[in-house]
């Protein structure tokens, strides 16, 4: 197993804690009804990884800025991420998030959806503070970056849900990579890197290498997530095991299985995917998982994640070539092995 | 479970890595390029934030710093080695793998370097095979595996506390586009732990300046 140093985990925790305080400052603690604030605070109080704000803050520091300059942006990232999670859990009807019942299972679907909307609105408040801290020009640029990211993310989510609804079985790894660029990478890694570098460098940065690094890093993250969904511990990973198979998600693992399976196995998989979710029994799910192992689909995805991570390591050198060595720069570099070694 | 087990073997893992390298990473590189163009169009003031795109405008001090850094990196990469002891026992592949950077080359030229395999263990290592994949860039363009020369391709026996030099040469095709190309050196002794290979193919302007 690839190891991740305790120093790195301590630094991640430190960035996460700083961002958590900032995030909570943008959630109203008075004057708003508990029907909104209580569910909105629920996920924020659970211990998430805090990757997105940490990446944004560390990149800003690495490029010469101070964490306080990027704090509203980092908070907006976490608020928007949490909003996406709430709605994602409703769309997938997931049972668990971070080891506890999902928001809609606790508060009901309607209040959960509204809380997700509220979290996105709170993110707008955080972004608005950029004008005061960074000036109108840079704040406007960050707004444009968020605008582009948000459009990519909701489009990616729509594509994934559409593939499931239409029972699409004709997809390739290209389709999958394009999907995860939209639905995951842009808001998880690409945007945090881009806005962190913009703020830290006062806009004097070439963002193209950052996009390359961000995509490889985010893809490694997503593929690892797909693997953890199948093989991770329920207690540590915090979601219901085999949830992606139950939902019929078109992960890289499933696409590999569809390509590698014998004709009879493929027929069985396609029959399974054509079922309504409620018809998918635990036995049927276990059989699909066994096929994924038998056909090397899980191993393929694990190697794919490692391959992408190797590319990310090379892309990091390019994106941070002119950035002097510092603890923040090292932290960002160490995110690469972390993405494929993490168990939650 | 037979298929699953078979891909865990050295040959299976090697093929798996080659498949990922050939198909997946190439696709990933093209995704990046597509989005680079897209985001540049969508966020129109990006060019305001772009730094000088060439050496123009850099002060002499930064040029010296950059040259020193490149020189240091180059030496470090030339010393890149594959150490058997640290990976004995089928250790898990590491994403932060070692990188071997070849000297830049121009189209129709070649670039050559060495990779050293050490055996600091007390056991004899036998039957090692060395293979190099083709190289890919985000252009997208490829340098085929046939353009890569490796010698020796196998090491029958490596005694304890001895080393063996592996020579690598890449003959850059005449019409090869400029860019940064990536490949993998695969050594059968540690199939899941390849060494990254990086080659910069210079454009005509760079090569003559």
């Amino acid at each position: 197993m690839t190891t991740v140093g305790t120093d790195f985990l301590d630094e991640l925790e430190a960035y996460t804690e700083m961002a958590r305080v900032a995030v909570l400052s943008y959630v109203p603690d008075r004057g708003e009804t508990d029907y909104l604030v209580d569910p909105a605070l629920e996920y924020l109080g659970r211990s998430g990884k805090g990757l997105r704000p940490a990446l944004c803050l560390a990149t800003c520091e690495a490029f010469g800025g101070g964490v306080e300059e990027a704090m509203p942006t980092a908070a907006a990232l976490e608020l928007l991420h949490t909003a996406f999670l709430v709605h994602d859990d409703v769309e997938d009807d997931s049972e668990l998030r971070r080891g506890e019942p999902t928001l809609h299972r606790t508060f009901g679907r309607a209040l959960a959806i509204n809380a997700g909307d509220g979290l996105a609105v709170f993110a707008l408040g955080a972004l608005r503070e950029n004008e005061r801290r960074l000036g109108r020009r840079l704040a406007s640029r960050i707004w444009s970056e968020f605008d582009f990211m948000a459009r990519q993310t909701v489009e990616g989510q729509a594509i994934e849900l559409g593939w499931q609804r239409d029972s699409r079985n004709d997809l390739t790894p290209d389709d999958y990579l394009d999907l995860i660029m939209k639905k995951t990478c842009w808001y998880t890694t690409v945007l945090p890197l881009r806005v962190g570098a913009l703020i830290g460098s006062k806009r004097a940065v070439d963002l193209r290498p950052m996009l390359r690094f961000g995509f490889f890093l985010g893809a490694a993250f997503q593929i690892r997530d797909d693997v953890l969904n199948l093989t991770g511990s329920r207690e540590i990973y915090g979601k219901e095991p085999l949830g992606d198979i139950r939902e019929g998600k078109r992960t890289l693992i499933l696409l590999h299985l569809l390509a590698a399976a014998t004709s009879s196995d493929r027929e069985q998989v396609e029959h399974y995917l054509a079922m309504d979710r409620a018809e998918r029994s635990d036995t049927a799910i276990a059989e699909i998982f066994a096929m994924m192992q038998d056909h090397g689909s899980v191993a393929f995805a694990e190697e794919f994640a490692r391959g992408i991570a190797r590319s990310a390591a090379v892309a990091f050198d390019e994106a941070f070539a002119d950035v002097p060595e510092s603890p923040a720069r090292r932290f960002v570099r160490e995110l690469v092995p972390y993405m494929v070694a993490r168990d939650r | 479970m037979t298929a699953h087990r078979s891909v865990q073997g050295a040959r299976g893992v090697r093929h798996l890595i080659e498949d990922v390298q050939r198909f997946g990473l190439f696709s990933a590189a093209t995704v990046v390029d597509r989005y680079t163009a897209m985001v540049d169009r969508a966020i129109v003031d990006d060019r305001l934030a772009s730094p000088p795109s060439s050496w123009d405008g850099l002060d002499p001090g930064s040029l010296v710093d950059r040259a020193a850094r490149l020189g240091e990196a180059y030496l470090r990469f030339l010393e890149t080695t594959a150490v058997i002891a640290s990976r004995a026992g089928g250790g898990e592949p590491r994403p932060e793998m070692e990188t071997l950077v070849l000297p830049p080359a121009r189209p129709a030229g070649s670039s050559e370097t060495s990779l050293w395999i050490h055996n600091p263990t007390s056991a004899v290592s036998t039957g090692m095979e060395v293979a190099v994949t083709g190289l890919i860039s985000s252009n997208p363009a490829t340098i085929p595996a046939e353009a890569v020369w490796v010698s020796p391709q196998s090491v029958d026996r490596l005694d304890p506390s001895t080393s063996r030099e592996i020579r690598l040469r890449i003959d850059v095709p005449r019409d090869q586009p400029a860019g940064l190309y990536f490949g993998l050196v695969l050594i059968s002794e540690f199939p899941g732990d390849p060494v990254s290979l990086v080659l910069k193919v210079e454009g005509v302007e760079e090569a003559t300046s």
Side-chain angles (χ1 to χ4, degrees), chain A residues 1-2 141 148 152 174 178 182 203 205-206 208 211-212 215 293-294 303-304 306 310 314 321-322 340, chain B residues 1 3-4 17 24 27-28 32 34-36 40 42-43 45-46 49 51 66 69 92-93 95 97 138 182:
Chain A
M1 173 64 74
T2 304
R141 175 57 195 266
F148 185 83
Q152 294 297 315
D174 281 15
D178 204 52
K182 287 179 185 295
R203 296 164 55 90
V205 61
D206 181 1
R208 290 178 181 214
L211 183 113
R212 183 178 307 279
F215 174 59
Q293 290 181 302
D294 288 351
E303 176 49 34
F304 205 110
R306 285 191 289 266
R310 289 175 203 127
V314 175
D322 294 326
V340 286
Chain B
M1 299 293 284
H4 176 57
I17 291 170
S27 295
V32 169
R34 195 160 59 247
Y35 279 86
T36 299
D40 282 353
I43 304 177
D45 72 343
D46 191 35
R66 190 179 287 216
R69 202 160 53 243
E92 288 282 324
M97 65 178 175
S138 57
F182 303 95

Side-chain angles (χ1 to χ4, degrees), chain B residues 17-76:
Chain B
I17 291 170
E18 287 176 339
D19 283 350
V20 167
Q21 174 79 2
R22 194 160 48 240
F23 302 115
L25 300 187
F26 185 80
S27 295
T30 60
V31 169
V32 169
D33 289 343
R34 195 160 59 247
Y35 279 86
T36 299
M38 193 189 301
V39 73
D40 282 353
R41 282 198 304 273
I43 304 177
V44 289
D45 72 343
D46 191 35
R47 55 187 182 277
L48 297 175
S50 298
S53 58
S54 69
W55 297 95
D56 296 340
L58 291 177
D59 63 76
S62 72
L63 282 174
V64 170
D65 285 349
R66 190 179 287 216
R69 202 160 53 243
L70 284 172
E72 185 189 347
Y74 178 60
L75 288 173
R76 193 172 67 244

Side-chain angles (χ1 to χ4, degrees), chain B residues 68-89:
Chain B
R69 202 160 53 243
L70 284 172
E72 185 189 347
Y74 178 60
L75 288 173
R76 193 172 67 244
F77 289 135
L78 283 184
E79 290 166 359
T80 298
T81 55
V83 179
I84 293 171
S86 63
R87 306 169 194 181

